[in-house]
Amino acid sequence: MTTAISDAPTRPVGVDAIHHALRTMPQAPGVYRMLGEKGDVLYVGKALNLKKRVTSYTHVSRLTERLRRMVSETRSMEIVTTHTEAEALLLEANYIKRMQPRYNILLRDDKSYPWIMLTDRHDFPQISKHRGKPVKGASYWGPFASAWSVNQTLNLLQRTFLLRSCSDSEMQGRTRPCLLHQIHRCSAPCTDRISREDYAELAAQARSFLAGKNPDMREKLGREMEQAAGALEFERAAAIRDRIRGLSALQQDSSVINPSSVSDADIIAIWQIAGQSCIQVFFIRAGRNNGNRAFFPSHARDENAPDVLAAFIGQFYDDKPPPAQVFVNQDLPELDVLTAALSLRRGRRVEILHPQRGEKRGVIEHAALNAREALERRMAESAGQAKLLQGVADLFGLDAPPKRIETYDNSHIQGANPYGVMVVGGPEGFEKRAYRKFSIKGPVTPGDDFAMMREVLERRFRRALKDREEGVRPEDWPDILLIDGGAGQYTAVRGVLDELGVTGVTLVGIAKGPDRDAGREWFHTADRPPFQLPPRDPVLYYLQRLRDEAHRFAITTHRAGRSKTLVRSELDDIPGVGPARKRALLKHFGSARGVRQAGLGELEHAPGINRDMARVIYGFFHPDWTGE
């Protein structure tokens, strides 16, 4: 149940606002949210007893400086009651990930993790990479830390089990085997090169292997290879040999994780230096290392490692099921509650363990070493980045190093599929979470980049100005706008900013040098004539990287939009024609043009098209037809 405990007639502030909320605060498990002046969420917390926990914020002298500041900004509170403290912890983690309150420990991770998917409801199951929500009728194994790790595993699985990776429509449309069959990575069920029963056996072996239930598979394949060689079936023996090699590559022990000590677990270790944290996560499934990834949660400098790690675990498993075991390198606070929450999330028992000896201790120590090295690299890069930003500030006369540099570019072909983009750089390097795409909505004259840039900037800053007036997301206001272009582009953008009333932003135009030679760029600003930097200046390299990143992002965004347009056809606009009927029509007539030119009788005899549907399709292409 959600309850708003908010504004009194005189709108209390700080401790008074908390006392006002306590009047109706229940003594029950739940989650509380502290809200600021504009209704923005300052902090999210959970409690076994809401009233008792929130009362602690009224004893200001016992709070840290950070919490005292948070209390002073509080204007109202909202609560959600739950049945148990474990449910409250899960809800708290979900709220923190969605709302990103600035006084919480934050896991800034918007990445979806890839899985291996094997379809169930098909005579010839398909194996492929999958991201996003699971779909019915398929089995999943993972997660994997990166696309590279899942792609490498998929390649080995295809070599070993010869399962198809093509879609159902591709399989149905083939008349001869594809290249994957020729390089011995598919058994070609599309052209009946393998029976349904034999393919089912391969799929069953793959499922058993992925689940870690078939340790004797290599020996079995070895016997089959010897029998084939003894029967002088050398091609079959060679194919089995290739499968054994693929299986060996899949089963080889990792130099980091020993499968005998860890079977199905996540290895999570934290390392802290100078108030910054790195958390390294290794994904271990069926004794195999599915890759690892480093995370750098955002938190106050005085947060200790156990608290940061506990908050990270709650948020990390908000959108993914935890494994049977989680190994950590810290003794976590409220371990019982966190364990109960993860067990509730998984639907089965989960153990959170801090190994003290043996192989498991070695595994967690190795993860901690990876975390330390990743954090040291990041801090070294940050120091170099800080030096570059100071150089940018000196170059353009800023009082302090810029915290946010926005770079704009656009892309189109003869006015078609026009897109504008914004990329962001700052103390942490390229901040890809802040990148934005703008699908140009107004009519675009080929070559009129000024009109595209005007629309992008108007859409960007109308919202930003409104947020600035309301005090929302002040960190989203840029210090520098970097525009790819010379004096013309600079003047046009300056006019747009002046019309919108944008102030306090340094505008810089970067124009390519003679013959578009990188290293000889001209810079245009408001307070000095156009100038160049020395060819080996590190600040020049940095500004080039920002411009090139915007250019790359603009091109890839345009290509993606163009690809969506290319796969659409006029068949998509016919009422009642969905993906299945569209595939049937294209397969029968060869193209959308063939459907358009077909007569009514031909349409009625097409697979999956009844008489009424045929009349709808024919009428769509012949608007003057009366139906007689």
Side-chain angles (χ1 to χ4, degrees), residues 503-519:
T503 58
V505 177
T506 299
L507 177 63
V508 178
I510 176 172
K512 296 180 178 66
D515 300 321
R516 306 179 72 83
D517 186 10

Side-chain angles (χ1 to χ4, degrees), residues 463 467-468 471-477:
R463 177 64 181 270
D467 288 344
R468 196 182 194 190
V472 178
R473 293 191 294 272
E475 68 277 5
D476 288 354
W477 190 261

Side-chain angles (χ1 to χ4, degrees), residues 545-560:
R545 284 176 57 210
L546 286 169
R547 178 201 60 197
D548 294 343
E549 173 68 0
H551 189 58
R552 178 202 66 79
F553 190 47
I555 290 176
T556 55
T557 301
H558 164 73
R559 286 175 178 168

Side-chain angles (χ1 to χ4, degrees), residues 267-273 276-282 292-297 309 329 363-379:
I267 314 299
I268 306 179
I270 185 172
W271 195 272
Q272 286 191 323
I273 302 175
Q276 298 185 50
S277 300
C278 175
I279 297 175
Q280 191 77 224
V281 180
F282 283 82
N292 63 292
R293 187 178 174 210
F295 298 86
F296 302 91
L309 187 56
N329 69 331
V363 167
I364 198 68
E365 286 180 345
H366 187 93
L369 176 62
N370 275 261
R372 188 189 76 183
E373 292 174 346
L375 183 56
E376 290 173 346
R377 287 194 300 270
R378 182 182 176 90
M379 294 180 71

Side-chain angles (χ1 to χ4, degrees), residues 103-272:
Y103 286 103
N104 279 99
I105 298 169
L106 301 178
L107 166 60
R108 300 187 182 276
D109 176 35
D110 56 357
K111 174 182 176 181
S112 64
Y113 292 85
W115 295 65
I116 287 177
M117 179 184 75
L118 186 59
T119 55
D120 296 328
R121 301 172 184 174
H122 199 285
D123 292 337
F124 299 100
Q126 172 200 14
I127 191 167
S128 62
K129 177 175 66 178
H130 178 82
R131 286 184 186 268
K133 293 183 179 180
V135 296
K136 292 183 179 179
S139 301
Y140 296 88
W141 291 271
F144 288 78
S146 64
W148 179 88
S149 58
V150 74
N151 288 338
Q152 187 178 46
T153 303
L154 267 178
N155 289 337
L156 293 173
L157 287 170
Q158 287 178 281
R159 283 173 50 191
T160 306
F161 301 106
L162 308 177
L163 300 180
R164 70 178 179 96
S165 58
C166 58
S167 65
D168 291 349
S169 59
E170 289 174 322
M171 177 182 172
Q172 293 168 2
R174 297 208 66 86
T175 57
R176 59 180 181 177
C178 67
L179 179 63
L180 289 177
H181 175 69
Q182 298 177 33
I183 62 175
H184 308 295
R185 282 176 49 186
C186 180
S187 54
C190 54
T191 54
D192 299 326
R193 298 297 179 97
I194 185 173
S195 68
R196 186 177 302 175
E197 292 74 18
D198 290 343
Y199 192 94
E201 175 63 22
L202 291 176
Q205 290 177 3
R207 294 178 196 279
S208 296
F209 178 80
L210 288 168
K213 298 179 181 178
N214 202 337
D216 301 325
M217 191 178 299
R218 195 186 309 183
E219 288 77 7
K220 180 181 177 181
L221 289 174
R223 290 192 297 269
E224 290 182 10
M225 183 179 68
E226 292 176 0
Q227 291 172 2
L232 305 182
E233 298 176 355
F234 297 117
E235 288 189 9
R236 180 168 175 266
I240 297 174
R241 178 204 60 201
D242 292 341
R243 291 187 61 196
I244 293 173
R245 288 176 178 174
L247 188 63
S248 299
L250 280 168
Q251 290 181 325
Q252 66 183 357
D253 290 350
S254 168
S255 61
V256 176
I257 301 298
N258 185 345
S260 66
S261 63
V262 179
S263 176
D264 185 19
D266 284 344
I267 314 299
I268 306 179
I270 185 172
W271 195 272
Q272 286 191 323

Side-chain angles (χ1 to χ4, degrees), residues 557-570:
T557 301
H558 164 73
R559 286 175 178 168
R562 190 178 68 206
S563 297
K564 291 180 181 179
T565 302
L566 291 175
V567 299
R568 270 190 68 84
S569 75
E570 49 196 337

Side-chain angles (χ1 to χ4, degrees), residues 309-371:
L309 187 56
F312 169 87
I313 290 174
Q315 296 175 49
F316 183 69
Y317 291 113
D318 173 63
D319 56 355
K320 62 182 71 66
Q325 293 181 318
V326 177
F327 294 103
V328 297
N329 69 331
Q330 299 285 333
D331 291 324
L332 300 181
E334 300 183 315
L335 180 61
D336 292 342
V337 177
L338 186 57
T339 300
L342 295 191
S343 300
L344 189 63
R345 179 75 181 82
R346 183 172 185 250
R348 285 181 287 172
R349 184 168 178 263
V350 173
E351 291 183 296
I352 301 177
L353 305 171
H354 181 192
Q356 300 297 321
R357 63 183 65 85
E359 292 180 327
K360 293 184 175 64
R361 178 180 174 85
V363 167
I364 198 68
E365 286 180 345
H366 187 93
L369 176 62
N370 275 261

